[in-house]
Amino acid sequence: MDSDFGIPRELSPLQQLRSQYHPELPPCLQLTFAIAEVLLSFKRDTYYLNLQGTTVRVEFGDGTTVAEASDSHIVARAFPHTLGQPLAHFLREAAKVSDAHIITQLPSIRVGIVFCGRQAPGGHNVIWGLYEALKVHNANSTLLGFLGGSEGLFAQKTLEITDDILQTYKNQGGYDLLGRTKDQIRTTEQVNAALKACTDLKLDGLVIIGGVTSNTDAAHLAEFFAEAKCSTKVVGVPVTTNGDLKNQFVEANVGFDTICKVNSQLISNACTDALSAEKYYYFIRLMGRKHSHVALECTLQSHPNMVILGEEVAASKLTIFDISKQICDAVQARAGQGLINQKLIYIMKIMQSCTLPFTNFDLLYHSLAPDKNHGVILIPEGIIESIPEVYALLKEIHGLLREGVAADKISTQLSPWSSALFEFLPPFIKKQLLLHPESDDSAQLSQIETEKLLAYLVETEMNKRLKEGTYKGKKFNAICHFFGYQARGSLPSKFDCDYAYVLGHICYHILAAGLNGYMATVSNLKSPAMMTVKNWSQNASSTSTSIGRPAIHPAMVDLKGKAYELLRQNADKFLMEDLYRNPGPLQYDGPGADAKAVSLCVEDQDYMGRIKKLQEYLDQVRTIVKPGCSQDVLKAALSVMASVTDVLTTISSSSNGGQQFA
Amino acid sequence: MDSDFGIPRELSPLQQLRSQYHPELPPCLQLTFAIAEVLLSFKRDTYYLNLQGTTVRVEFGDGTTVAEASDSHIVARAFPHTLGQPLAHFLREAAKVSDAHIITQLPSIRVGIVFCGRQAPGGHNVIWGLYEALKVHNANSTLLGFLGGSEGLFAQKTLEITDDILQTYKNQGGYDLLGRTKDQIRTTEQVNAALKACTDLKLDGLVIIGGVTSNTDAAHLAEFFAEAKCSTKVVGVPVTTNGDLKNQFVEANVGFDTICKVNSQLISNACTDALSAEKYYYFIRLMGRKHSHVALECTLQSHPNMVILGEEVAASKLTIFDISKQICDAVQARAGQGLINQKLIYIMKIMQSCTLPFTNFDLLYHSLAPDKNHGVILIPEGIIESIPEVYALLKEIHGLLREGVAADKISTQLSPWSSALFEFLPPFIKKQLLLHPESDDSAQLSQIETEKLLAYLVETEMNKRLKEGTYKGKKFNAICHFFGYQARGSLPSKFDCDYAYVLGHICYHILAAGLNGYMATVSNLKSPAMMTVKNWSQNASSTSTSIGRPAIHPAMVDLKGKAYELLRQNADKFLMEDLYRNPGPLQYDGPGADAKAVSLCVEDQDYMGRIKKLQEYLDQVRTIVKPGCSQDVLKAALSVMASVTDVLTTISSSSNGGQQFA
């Protein structure tokens, strides 16, 4: 935690070029950016602001509720001060407003910022955006970076951010400007240390950059500060490569775009390699924690032959042997294609002898699906926890570890079922399953080589089939990879540079507005879909269920969503036809540079856009049905609107009105 | 070997953009390109050609000799037909030449092309360049691609290359347009099958795309064809990611530039990751066969903390324990930096209390070298064969395997010394060392996890030092990677696109000139430095020495070369100061796009350029010393030139006149 923080460093030509880039805004962010440039002071109603000649309307929405009605009393008890705050919503306003509402100067403020949790490309730009917003509004404002993550926060180790310091970190990857340690601000001791740091340093605001866990901690910290009458406001920023901090207000996490692009580049390279050498199956495990967002996005970008999503495994309750068999059957089907197509080739030969006008018979001939002894299979690292029997085994092991049982004694204390599974597994996996769990109670997913386990099981089975004569293809060869660390430190994509920079600006405006316990997406950290009671052991049938403290749920891949639907539509073709697609290395110039994540593009995520559309409809009705309109129009409008109101009231009371994220 | 060759396929936006790119030429290739566009007919003297209005002079150099004088009789015996052919050299000519020398139309020819050996980014562009050159000079010329590598050649499986087929493969990675199998055209059966294929298909030329092994095979095949009075001319193209097919005529191999850039991107990402998390040592093994060119180039591009070059290990005869100790000492030194600097920090504190005018004391304070518990170490895959005792062990194992000893029986039949080493090694490495050797008799380097072995040895030693109290840093944590497959299928860099495309053109001109046994670099495949007798077991003291067939030696990293010197100058700083540099993802637009390999830039490789420079000096002397010049000038010139001639005659007779590549 004592690295060379904030030191100027030698940059490569591309890094230099990038350091000179000032974020441009993709169309989807223009509205959000409008906020960032606004001069804002906080009032609980609709009012108007001047944005470089454009007027912006600020609206506050309803007080928020929790995602699951049954949890509401628990959440309400945990967040008496910060639950139920209104959504803040910013819109471009066409109409002219009087100058009286416009505030031009804001008081200087002191803000601290800290990296929590794993590094994600773009994190540095949150600091840059926040710094610029602070200085633009008052040159005397101060931004203190905490050195070495949460531990630096507790120890009050700070570095004042300056233009000089930022110079070689703008648009660069990693968290090395400030460093990071554990992603935890949770224990009484930690929370008190954070409170003392903010008080001692006279901070008006504390910005916490991190994922699901860190934003949960941020929410609790905000509540704790409010309770303690500490004047420091807490803001969270959704920065995580896992892409699992998602709901209708948070469409994307900083870092996810870059990680998926870098991984897709490498996956595609492996696909090209497989197709060139035609003798290997690549088993590629992808970093991404419990859920399979990274694997899904990478599949949509690079079209490997197969992906096994944890959510599918959990939904279908697949065992490790089911998965292995699925892969074996795929290998066999691919190897058998040539046999299936012998008939077609025969027909082709007849056609050739008839001298039909084929200009390139060779091409046609070889385009018939031949035997395939190669392939690429993606495996999300979280899959191991999605397999019911393995998850049960892991929970037993973790329970025994917590009881202090030594790793080498655990195998003797497992339940019969778990013991049978454990003894069956190859030694390298046994050793990895015995590792202590992470701070969020999940297994050390990055250390468990599920791809090697599956490759091992598939190889064993294919050799058996070969011997029995049920498989007639070539000997099965697997090469295993784990992609994660080598992507996490990447230069951020333009998307992540822009997004993070804007979020930095928004952090400032949330703080300037005196808001506490908000997440920088212009949405409430306690929004309906994000805050539910996390059931720590909800899937472990063998352990007792207990109610934990309220936490943000990481979002699963939505198996009813459009991104997954797109995958399913193409899965068979991807499996058999090698439709490999190489998005290539991250580009910063030219057409490839502005590419966006496929799942972001296909998912119908523009919640605020749809709210706006609805308001337009209401305005239209109001315009049509005004004094002077015909009796018929009024009658029709009344009848239709009465029924609309009825329907919506019914739906709202039964569902909380929000999209559900279980 | 039956893949969907030549099928049009879906390209990503970046792939589409790249497929529309027509190679531009970096300055170093402009001279070479002049050749490719020339209308050439073969004559054994200097003559002139018209190149789009520019005239080009073609010169033929001396007949070539072998690299090691002692081998010359063996090489001469092996290559009676193709040894001693002149170098063909092409220069831009400023003077006007009469039109009489310019040939405008060439007869149509039939050429076959085959991918041999491992795929390298850019391979497709050799085909494209050759195709365009063929069609420009005679639209009736035919290019046949052999499907599935050398096996496709033997089986006469061809695909006629057309504009349509090339469409989605221009500037794309992999070898999937044609596929590849083994990299061997060596046995009597194979050579005869190749001869039959070329005769049956009436080929005027056969182009073999590959590395050291394949170009050796190409040389032998050329000789065999000449002996058999087969009219097919054989041309080799240096395409290999290993970068080991190097001498004064071959400055670079197609694919090396891309591989080093992609690997450097990933290494740099790991560096950034290490510096952000500050708790891991990354041990990264790099694909690149026996020699360490890839590791050296990647080090110069990304500045990791440490690299262990095989050539250094071999030169210093380091044992596996020496290497492990070197790394341990580095880890300890980095962890101890903070202690060393306690004094400095103390001084800084005093300075602060004196209120010296430091504007940013924090920055200065933290810039003092602190404890470092992270790092990145590169390990070339070939290092395992460079360690003397491991190499001896491998040779014993391979010898026993050849004798038919079963893998599980080998450990009992090793010599006492090898047995002791073998028994010491952890099980996973034992298993990998017992794998059958490759077709070139080397170990299966890509399968031997040397990085894990070293990480294991270092961890064991650091834990011991920690226990003994000699090491006081944090617990040592290693994360291991193997980078190779995921780079090999990359989209080629602009450099490789251009270089490969031009080499394709040159292939055509070599064939059109009726040359046999040449390599497409406008140099002779039997050039002095490339053709020596390969001593199959030259380093294995325990087995008897035998003389093999002449082969191209892969070039080692030159420990007296400028690239290595650059590394040595910076090694200490790289080790201690984390001067990580991220070249970033491959760019196709903007400043980063034209970056060239560092080793290519620093090495003084422009042999032909220096020959030209010498000729300019000679011309100047001729201009100065002509009839009418003073007696003094003439006298001085005679005296100086007599001594120059003397010196050069002496040097030439003692050294063969060429740079030595042992």
Side-chain angles (χ1 to χ4, degrees):
Chain A
M1 93 168 237
D2 267 322
S3 195
D4 309 337
F5 302 115
I7 298 231
R9 52 199 180 151
E10 187 199 341
L11 298 183
S12 71
L14 182 64
Q15 282 182 304
Q16 282 174 33
L17 184 77
R18 292 302 299 154
S19 75
Q20 283 147 28
Y21 167 79
H22 203 286
E24 282 173 56
L25 293 158
C28 72
L29 283 177
Q30 280 174 3
L31 182 69
T32 323
F33 188 62
I35 309 147
E37 285 301 315
V38 120
L39 300 174
L40 169 66
S41 131
F42 181 61
K43 279 199 241 165
R44 294 219 168 191
D45 61 335
T46 300
Y47 62 112
Y48 301 91
L49 301 154
N50 189 23
L51 160 68
Q52 297 172 337
T54 313
T55 305
V56 166
R57 189 175 77 220
V58 184
E59 289 183 0
F60 287 90
D62 283 347
T64 50
T65 55
V66 298
E68 288 169 29
S70 59
D71 296 339
S72 62
H73 64 286
I74 300 164
V75 177
R77 203 170 55 202
F79 298 97
H81 298 280
T82 50
L83 187 70
Q85 294 189 115
L87 290 167
H89 184 205
F90 305 74
L91 295 165
R92 200 179 286 268
E93 177 68 31
K96 264 275 171 203
V97 195
S98 100
D99 287 348
H101 291 87
I102 297 161
I103 300 101
T104 47
Q105 180 68 12
L106 289 168
S108 80
I109 59 174
R110 289 172 61 82
V111 180
I113 192 162
V114 59
F115 284 128
C116 284
R118 293 158 198 223
Q119 49 273 32
H124 286 145
N125 273 24
V126 177
I127 299 179
W128 180 26
L130 174 55
Y131 174 80
E132 290 216 332
L134 276 167
K135 293 295 180 181
V136 158
H137 295 103
N138 192 318
N140 295 323
S141 286
T142 304
L143 180 60
L144 295 176
F146 287 104
L147 292 172
S150 48
E151 287 184 18
L153 167 66
F154 307 145
Q156 303 188 24
K157 298 183 72 167
T158 61
L159 173 69
E160 186 177 339
I161 304 298
T162 64
D163 265 328
D164 280 354
I165 286 177
L166 283 171
Q167 218 48 54
T168 54
Y169 292 90
K170 291 175 184 173
N171 305 307
Q172 310 294 324
Y175 277 7
D176 45 322
L177 170 61
L178 298 178
R180 62 100 171 167
T181 40
K182 291 236 180 75
D183 52 348
Q184 224 191 40
I185 312 176
R186 194 178 307 165
T187 65
T188 310
E189 195 186 348
Q190 289 168 339
V191 168
N192 281 320
L195 178 71
K196 187 169 187 309
C198 291
T199 312
D200 288 358
L201 295 166
K202 300 186 175 56
L203 297 186
D204 300 290
L206 174 65
V207 175
I208 293 176
I209 297 174
V212 169
T213 311
S214 305
N215 277 289
T216 298
D217 286 347
H220 285 277
L221 200 65
E223 182 63 31
F224 179 77
F225 281 12
E227 174 69 33
K229 309 240 183 300
C230 166
S231 63
T232 311
K233 310 300 178 194
V234 181
V235 176
V237 190
V239 180
T240 165
T241 57
N242 306 328
D244 55 359
L245 184 41
K246 264 169 98 172
N247 60 22
Q248 66 263 54
F249 305 107
V250 186
E251 295 188 7
N253 305 149
V254 172
F256 180 75
D257 185 70
T258 306
I259 288 291
C260 290
K261 283 174 177 164
V262 176
N263 279 335
S264 295
Q265 171 198 358
L266 301 179
I267 293 162
S268 302
N269 291 354
C271 290
T272 303
D273 203 70
L275 193 55
S276 300
E278 298 179 82
K279 57 183 179 179
Y280 294 123
Y281 270 89
Y282 289 95
F283 282 60
I284 301 174
R285 182 166 49 109
L286 293 171
M287 190 181 268
R289 306 296 302 154
K290 189 174 172 55
H291 297 304
S292 307
H293 299 282
V294 173
L296 175 58
E297 176 60 30
C298 290
T299 303
L300 294 175
Q301 286 192 24
S302 57
H303 305 181
N305 297 105
M306 205 170 178
V307 61
I308 317 244
L309 301 180
E311 288 80 355
E312 284 178 321
V313 170
S316 307
K317 301 202 172 19
L318 298 181
T319 67
I320 186 91
F321 306 102
D322 293 334
I323 299 169
S324 155
K325 185 175 174 299
Q326 228 174 58
I327 300 175
C328 288
D329 292 347
V331 169
Q332 185 156 348
R334 286 172 58 79
Q337 286 201 323
L339 299 173
I340 298 163
N341 284 284
Q342 288 302 330
K343 285 181 200 163
L344 267 170
I345 291 173
Y346 178 72
I347 295 167
M348 292 296 303
K349 287 199 172 162
I350 294 172
M351 286 164 81
Q352 190 181 32
S353 66
C354 301
T355 61
L356 280 170
F358 282 118
T359 50
N360 197 325
F361 183 76
D362 276 346
L363 177 63
L364 210 47
Y365 181 90
H366 289 287
S367 73
L368 292 175
D371 291 347
K372 292 192 172 86
N373 296 295
H374 63 272
V376 176
I377 297 165
L378 300 191
I379 297 149
E381 66 174 5
I383 201 178
I384 196 81
E385 285 199 331
S386 303
I387 304 168
E389 79 276 15
V390 180
Y391 185 74
L393 169 61
L394 279 168
K395 286 293 126 180
E396 280 192 45
I397 291 173
H398 295 169
L400 291 166
L401 286 172
R402 263 193 301 272
E403 288 170 23
V405 179
D408 57 346
K409 296 275 179 283
I410 280 181
S411 66
T412 61
Q413 302 199 24
L414 293 169
S415 66
W417 170 247
S418 288
S419 177
L421 175 64
F422 188 75
E423 289 313 319
F424 164 80
L425 296 171
F428 71 92
I429 280 282
K430 280 186 191 171
K431 204 175 146 194
Q432 292 161 358
L433 294 181
L434 290 173
L435 294 171
H436 274 265
E438 305 246 8
S439 59
D440 65 351
D441 273 3
S442 67
Q444 287 195 31
L445 299 176
S446 60
Q447 305 301 314
I448 302 178
E449 297 174 307
T450 318
E451 79 285 13
K452 288 198 179 164
L453 174 59
L454 284 172
Y456 165 85
L457 293 175
V458 170
E459 188 178 357
T460 307
E461 169 70 14
M462 292 316 293
N463 286 344
K464 188 167 148 266
R465 292 187 188 186
L466 197 62
K467 215 168 161 183
E468 293 170 353
T470 48
Y471 167 65
K472 297 178 201 307
K474 288 192 186 165
K475 194 183 171 312
F476 174 82
N477 285 308
I479 292 178
C480 294
H481 282 298
F482 175 44
F483 291 165
Y485 297 105
Q486 61 268 62
R488 215 167 57 174
S490 172
L491 279 175
S493 65
K494 275 176 87 171
F495 178 89
D496 279 330
C497 288
D498 296 347
Y499 186 37
Y501 176 82
V502 171
L503 288 179
H505 270 262
I506 294 172
C507 284
Y508 166 76
H509 293 289
I510 292 174
L511 291 171
L515 298 172
N516 182 31
Y518 274 66
M519 189 187 288
T521 59
V522 200
S523 79
N524 192 317
L525 187 57
K526 316 291 155 333
S527 71
M530 287 173 64
M531 190 54 67
T532 63
V533 173
K534 187 171 175 185
N535 189 332
W536 292 105
S537 47
Q538 54 190 7
N539 292 317
S541 51
S542 59
T543 56
S544 66
T545 301
S546 63
I547 305 290
R549 71 172 199 161
I552 299 169
H553 264 341
M556 306 199 304
V557 167
D558 181 3
L559 297 184
K560 291 178 186 148
K562 292 196 181 172
Y564 181 70
E565 190 187 323
L566 186 62
L567 171 64
R568 285 271 57 91
Q569 282 166 357
N570 291 285
D572 287 345
K573 276 191 292 176
F574 288 176
L575 175 60
M576 299 307 281
E577 295 173 27
D578 294 355
L579 301 175
Y580 303 144
R581 176 181 177 279
N582 196 334
L586 262 181
Q587 296 301 293
Y588 293 106
D589 212 341
D594 294 316
K596 288 202 195 67
V598 179
S599 52
L600 184 70
C601 297
V602 300
E603 276 168 17
D604 194 15
Q605 276 181 323
D606 186 13
Y607 180 81
M608 286 306 180
R610 281 176 291 148
I611 293 271
K612 199 178 155 202
K613 187 79 197 160
L614 179 83
Q615 289 173 340
E616 284 169 15
Y617 284 128
L618 298 177
D619 287 345
Q620 278 179 33
V621 174
R622 191 165 285 126
T623 313
I624 297 167
V625 192
K626 59 189 173 196
C629 74
S630 77
Q631 284 284 359
D632 285 351
V633 169
L634 179 58
K635 194 174 159 193
L638 275 174
S639 158
V640 175
M641 291 308 295
S643 105
V644 167
T645 311
D646 257 12
V647 170
L648 294 178
T649 307
T650 312
I651 297 176
S652 295
S653 63
S654 68
S655 79
N656 271 328
Q659 195 186 337
Q660 292 304 309
F661 290 77
Chain B
M1 92 172 239
D2 268 318
S3 196
D4 310 337
F5 302 115
I7 297 230
R9 51 202 182 150
E10 188 198 338
L11 297 183
S12 72
L14 183 63
Q15 283 182 303
Q16 282 173 34
L17 185 77
R18 292 303 299 156
S19 75
Q20 284 148 26
Y21 167 79
H22 202 285
E24 283 173 57
L25 293 158
C28 72
L29 283 178
Q30 279 174 0
L31 182 68
T32 322
F33 188 62
I35 308 146
E37 285 301 314
V38 120
L39 300 173
L40 169 65
S41 130
F42 182 61
K43 278 199 240 162
R44 294 218 166 193
D45 62 331
T46 300
Y47 62 114
Y48 302 91
L49 301 152
N50 189 25
L51 161 70
Q52 298 172 335
T54 314
T55 305
V56 166
R57 189 173 78 220
V58 184
E59 289 183 359
F60 286 88
D62 284 345
T64 50
T65 55
V66 297
E68 287 169 29
S70 61
D71 295 338
S72 61
H73 63 287
I74 299 161
V75 177
R77 205 169 51 202
F79 298 96
H81 298 281
T82 51
L83 186 71
Q85 295 189 113
L87 289 166
H89 184 206
F90 306 74
L91 294 165
R92 200 179 286 268
E93 177 67 33
K96 263 277 171 201
V97 194
S98 100
D99 288 348
H101 292 86
I102 297 161
I103 300 99
T104 49
Q105 178 70 9
L106 288 168
S108 80
I109 58 173
R110 289 170 62 83
V111 181
I113 192 161
V114 60
F115 284 129
C116 283
R118 292 157 199 225
Q119 49 272 34
H124 286 144
N125 274 23
V126 178
I127 299 178
W128 180 27
L130 174 55
Y131 174 81
E132 289 217 332
L134 277 167
K135 293 295 182 182
V136 158
H137 294 103
N138 191 318
N140 296 321
S141 286
T142 305
L143 180 59
L144 296 176
F146 286 104
L147 292 172
S150 47
E151 287 184 18
L153 169 64
F154 307 146
Q156 303 189 23
K157 297 183 73 169
T158 62
L159 173 68
E160 186 177 339
I161 305 298
T162 63
D163 265 329
D164 279 355
I165 286 176
L166 282 171
Q167 218 48 52
T168 54
Y169 292 89
K170 291 175 183 173
N171 304 306
Q172 310 295 322
Y175 277 7
D176 44 324
L177 171 59
L178 299 178
R180 64 100 170 166
T181 40
K182 292 237 178 75
D183 52 347
Q184 224 192 40
I185 312 177
R186 194 176 308 164
T187 65
T188 310
E189 196 187 346
Q190 288 168 339
V191 168
N192 279 322
L195 178 70
K196 186 166 185 313
C198 291
T199 312
D200 288 358
L201 295 165
K202 298 187 176 57
L203 297 185
D204 299 291
L206 174 67
V207 176
I208 292 175
I209 297 174
V212 169
T213 310
S214 304
N215 277 289
T216 298
D217 286 347
H220 284 278
L221 199 64
E223 182 64 29
F224 179 76
F225 280 13
E227 174 68 32
K229 307 240 181 302
C230 165
S231 62
T232 311
K233 310 301 179 193
V234 181
V235 176
V237 191
V239 180
T240 165
T241 57
N242 306 327
D244 55 0
L245 182 42
K246 264 169 97 170
N247 61 21
Q248 67 263 53
F249 304 107
V250 186
E251 295 187 7
N253 305 147
V254 172
F256 179 76
D257 185 71
T258 307
I259 288 291
C260 291
K261 283 174 178 165
V262 176
N263 280 334
S264 295
Q265 170 198 358
L266 300 180
I267 292 161
S268 301
N269 291 354
C271 290
T272 303
D273 203 72
L275 193 56
S276 301
E278 299 179 82
K279 57 182 178 180
Y280 294 124
Y281 271 89
Y282 289 95
F283 283 60
I284 300 174
R285 180 165 52 108
L286 293 171
M287 190 181 267
R289 307 294 302 155
K290 189 174 171 55
H291 297 304
S292 306
H293 299 282
V294 173
L296 175 57
E297 175 61 30
C298 290
T299 304
L300 294 174
Q301 287 192 26
S302 58
H303 304 181
N305 297 105
M306 203 172 180
V307 61
I308 318 242
L309 301 180
E311 287 80 355
E312 284 178 320
V313 170
S316 308
K317 299 202 175 16
L318 299 180
T319 68
I320 187 90
F321 306 102
D322 293 334
I323 299 169
S324 155
K325 185 175 175 299
Q326 228 175 58
I327 300 173
C328 287
D329 292 347
V331 170
Q332 185 155 349
R334 287 172 56 81
Q337 286 200 325
L339 299 173
I340 298 163
N341 285 284
Q342 289 301 335
K343 285 182 199 160
L344 267 170
I345 292 173
Y346 179 73
I347 295 168
M348 290 298 303
K349 288 197 172 163
I350 294 173
M351 285 164 80
Q352 189 180 32
S353 67
C354 300
T355 62
L356 281 170
F358 282 117
T359 51
N360 196 325
F361 182 77
D362 276 345
L363 178 64
L364 210 47
Y365 180 90
H366 289 287
S367 74
L368 292 174
D371 291 347
K372 292 191 172 86
N373 295 294
H374 63 272
V376 176
I377 297 166
L378 299 192
I379 296 150
E381 66 173 5
I383 202 178
I384 196 82
E385 285 200 330
S386 302
I387 304 168
E389 80 276 16
V390 180
Y391 185 73
L393 170 61
L394 279 169
K395 287 293 128 181
E396 280 192 46
I397 291 172
H398 294 169
L400 291 166
L401 285 172
R402 264 194 299 273
E403 287 169 24
V405 179
D408 58 347
K409 297 275 178 284
I410 280 180
S411 66
T412 61
Q413 303 200 23
L414 293 169
S415 67
W417 169 248
S418 288
S419 178
L421 174 63
F422 189 76
E423 290 314 319
F424 165 81
L425 296 171
F428 72 91
I429 280 282
K430 279 187 191 171
K431 204 175 144 194
Q432 293 161 356
L433 294 181
L434 290 174
L435 293 171
H436 275 265
E438 302 245 10
S439 61
D440 66 349
D441 273 4
S442 67
Q444 287 196 32
L445 298 174
S446 59
Q447 304 302 314
I448 301 177
E449 297 175 307
T450 318
E451 79 286 12
K452 288 199 179 164
L453 173 60
L454 284 171
Y456 166 85
L457 294 174
V458 170
E459 187 178 358
T460 308
E461 170 70 15
M462 292 317 293
N463 286 345
K464 188 169 148 263
R465 292 188 187 184
L466 197 62
K467 213 167 162 185
E468 292 171 355
T470 47
Y471 167 66
K472 297 179 203 302
K474 288 193 186 163
K475 192 184 173 310
F476 173 83
N477 284 310
I479 292 178
C480 294
H481 281 298
F482 175 44
F483 291 166
Y485 297 105
Q486 61 267 63
R488 216 167 55 172
S490 172
L491 278 176
S493 65
K494 274 175 88 172
F495 179 88
D496 279 330
C497 289
D498 296 348
Y499 186 37
Y501 176 82
V502 170
L503 287 179
H505 270 262
I506 293 172
C507 285
Y508 167 75
H509 292 290
I510 292 174
L511 291 172
L515 297 173
N516 182 34
Y518 273 66
M519 189 187 285
T521 59
V522 200
S523 77
N524 191 316
L525 188 56
K526 317 290 156 333
S527 71
M530 288 174 63
M531 189 54 65
T532 63
V533 173
K534 187 169 177 188
N535 188 336
W536 293 103
S537 48
Q538 57 191 4
N539 292 318
S541 52
S542 59
T543 54
S544 67
T545 300
S546 62
I547 304 290
R549 69 172 200 161
I552 299 169
H553 264 341
M556 307 199 305
V557 166
D558 182 3
L559 297 183
K560 290 178 186 150
K562 292 194 180 170
Y564 181 72
E565 191 186 322
L566 186 63
L567 170 65
R568 285 272 56 90
Q569 283 166 357
N570 290 286
D572 287 345
K573 277 190 292 176
F574 288 175
L575 175 60
M576 300 306 282
E577 294 173 29
D578 296 353
L579 301 175
Y580 304 142
R581 175 181 178 280
N582 196 336
L586 261 180
Q587 295 301 293
Y588 294 106
D589 213 341
D594 295 314
K596 288 202 197 66
V598 179
S599 52
L600 184 70
C601 296
V602 300
E603 275 168 19
D604 195 15
Q605 276 182 322
D606 186 12
Y607 179 81
M608 286 306 179
R610 281 177 289 147
I611 293 270
K612 199 180 155 198
K613 186 80 196 158
L614 179 82
Q615 289 173 339
E616 283 172 15
Y617 284 129
L618 296 179
D619 287 345
Q620 278 181 32
V621 174
R622 191 167 284 129
T623 311
I624 298 166
V625 193
K626 60 189 170 194
C629 73
S630 76
Q631 283 285 359
D632 286 352
V633 169
L634 180 58
K635 195 173 159 191
L638 275 173
S639 158
V640 175
M641 290 309 294
S643 105
V644 167
T645 312
D646 257 10
V647 170
L648 295 179
T649 306
T650 311
I651 296 176
S652 295
S653 62
S654 67
S655 79
N656 270 330
Q659 194 185 339
Q660 293 301 311
F661 290 76

